[in-house]
Amino acid sequence: MQIGVETSKAVDQRRVFVVDDDEITRAALQFMLHDEIETHELASPEEAYEKGVDWLKPDVVLLGVSFLKSRGLELVGELAAKFPNVRILIVCEKSDEATAVEGLKAGAHGALVKPLTLEAVRKKVDTILGRGGGAQIVQLGLLK
């Protein structure tokens, strides 16, 4: 089902890699974005590097903050080196904002702070890609 999707975004040739060790977060983000942009959920940076070989390079990487905590801030530079021109958004809990800020200082382009909502995630990805604002979400049954 497509929820509030603009045709121009649905045919966009860009892609997002959701790289998070939390399967639920990956699935939620993939569900929120897949109608408007090609979205792939991956369990590790290595999986992303493998998938990103040749033509399947991402335009945006949504990176779980847990990887920054376990592997260090160098991971931001490593992603940028593997995927030139990629935009990196760090996905975190409010309690992990300090780590996310350090990730921004290391070169990430923004953060998505939980709780994640369809509207906020789409808007942030649209903004980071330089696309017009997110599609307006319409509650079913409230149209008059």
Side-chain angles (χ1 to χ4, degrees), residues 10-142:
V11 297
D12 193 341
Q13 295 298 310
R14 295 181 279 186
R15 69 185 46 87
V16 174
F17 282 6
V18 179
V19 182
D20 201 309
D21 60 2
D22 179 8
E23 184 178 353
I24 294 169
T25 299
R26 281 196 321 266
L29 286 166
Q30 197 276 341
F31 177 77
M32 290 177 184
L33 293 170
H34 80 278
D35 285 338
E36 289 192 346
I37 190 164
E38 181 181 335
T39 307
H40 303 269
E41 53 175 295
L42 306 155
S44 71
E46 291 71 30
E47 212 177 306
Y49 301 151
E50 187 176 317
K51 187 146 191 120
V53 172
D54 299 325
W55 64 272
L56 198 58
K57 296 197 183 330
D59 297 285
V60 177
V61 171
L62 303 182
L63 179 65
V65 73
S66 61
F67 288 117
L68 292 181
K69 289 176 157 183
S70 65
R71 298 182 185 207
L73 298 172
E74 302 79 31
L75 181 57
V76 173
E78 187 178 307
L79 283 164
K82 292 277 188 183
F83 305 125
N85 302 316
V86 73
R87 310 293 287 174
I88 300 167
L89 294 175
I90 299 166
V91 181
C92 67
E93 298 280 348
K94 187 121 177 96
S95 61
D96 292 320
E97 280 184 315
T99 305
V101 168
E102 291 302 313
L104 294 173
K105 290 177 184 175
H109 301 91
L112 285 169
V113 181
K114 295 177 183 178
L116 303 170
T117 64
L118 180 73
E119 205 167 32
V121 169
R122 286 184 178 179
K123 183 176 182 179
K124 188 74 161 192
V125 170
D126 283 341
T127 300
I128 208 79
L129 287 172
R131 302 193 304 187
Q136 185 176 13
I137 307 302
V138 178
Q139 295 283 331
L140 297 177
L142 298 178

